[in-house]
Amino acid sequence: MTRIVMKFGGTSVADLERIRNVATRVARAVEAGHEVAVVISAMAGTTNRLVAWCQELSPLYDAREYDAVVATGEQVTAGLMAIALQTIGVEARSWTGWQVPVATDGQHGKARINAIEGAEIVRRMQAGQVPVVAGFQGIGPDRRITTLGRGGSDTSAVALAAALQADRCDIYTDVDGVYTTDPRIVPKARKLARITYEEMLELASVGAKVLQTRSVELAMKEHVRVQVLSSFTDAPGTLVVDEDEIVEQEIVAGIAYSRDEAKLTIRRVPDRPGVAASVFFPLAEAGINVDMIVQNVSEDGTTDMTFTLNKAELPRAREVLEARYDEIGYAELTADPDVAKISVVGVGMRSHAGVAGTMFKTLASRGINIQVISTSEIKVSVLIAAEYTELAVRALHTAYGLDVA
Ligand code: ASP
Ligand code: MG
């Protein structure tokens, strides 16, 4: 017998018809003899509407009340799903976060799960009942409802799977798996049968929005086997697994892009110890995350620094640095929001040379200039002009042999 957590995203439960469809799928898994727990999101669009209501009343809303409001979306679908299951003869009941309980820290709006008490849920499953757990929510040390941050129901599902020691956590979403790149840009993109946690994590962090990044971190830490698949087809999805479970490892697993970043350049800062700190420390204090960084050496005692950050934070970053014009002592500050970050990801890079070289050569052959480069053990990222995003992704997909034959 297999114990499975089945998680359904907002598009899979967007209306009653789809909720019925999901219930049928759950019933099939129960009939096949599996122990099943369900985790659900709010209906597509619901959370956005609830968030907008809070913001409209007060841009500086009380985060505890925000959680009380936005957690309701999942409560609705959990109850509806339990009813839909009962209607087709499957014993089921809904569980809110505090009922399980899913204990979190007290960071309202972006809480982290501390512990899940799974014993009662397991008892119910063993007795043939399907627990339908509201994702995205928990209970804080203050005994008030918390939510886990947008997209957090993926993390709820993985955490529950770990707590129940489930054999698998199946995440049903609106794509039927993880692709080598965005199929909307590259029609020849291929669905991966398997991908490693690390690759999934890198892809999620550089723009491939299939799973919430935190859910992948948790799956890796807790060794939860995650499967990404669609609730609209019966096609097999993508399994996220440990590296040693992948027999024939491709060097490059996928190519991701992000247009969410902007580039800032500070020209002619004094080339002496402490200058980088004088730039990046105030940014960090202002809560601004910096991503890629390059610094050039020059002969005349000054240097140029270029870095990228989230586009939405560009105005604030400028403000922070302009306020420190005298202290840092730079000549000029320039910003470019029209950039894209293209990343090539694969654990095979650890043991194969030449991945970066192929990337640079491919971009050069298309006349695409590279503005910034950054690398990690299993990733190479470059910053290019945004207008070349599609061209770059397509060319690289072909260059690494990822195109469907
Ligand atoms: N409903 C929440 C959101 O839209 C959580 C989730 O769907 O994962 O962010
Ligand atoms: Mg989601």
Side-chain angles (χ1 to χ4, degrees), residues 7 9-10 41 150-154 173 209-212:
K7 187 258 164 175
S41 292
R150 298 305 306 272
S153 56
D154 290 340
T173 176
K209 297 184 182 74
V210 184
L211 294 175
Q212 198 202 28

Side-chain angles (χ1 to χ4, degrees), residues 250-312:
E250 301 269 2
I251 297 171
V252 168
I255 297 163
Y257 65 93
S258 162
R259 294 190 180 101
D260 296 337
E261 287 184 41
K263 182 180 76 166
L264 257 181
T265 300
I266 312 174
R267 292 198 199 287
R268 303 184 62 78
V269 286
D271 193 6
R272 57 169 161 72
V275 163
S278 75
V279 171
F280 296 112
F281 200 72
L283 290 173
E285 270 192 323
I288 297 168
N289 261 327
V290 169
D291 180 24
M292 310 166 100
I293 303 177
V294 281
Q295 183 188 327
N296 303 326
V297 259
S298 74
E299 310 275 289
D300 67 353
T302 73
T303 171
D304 292 350
M305 270 184 203
T306 295
F307 56 92
T308 66
L309 73 180
N310 195 301
K311 214 176 263 184

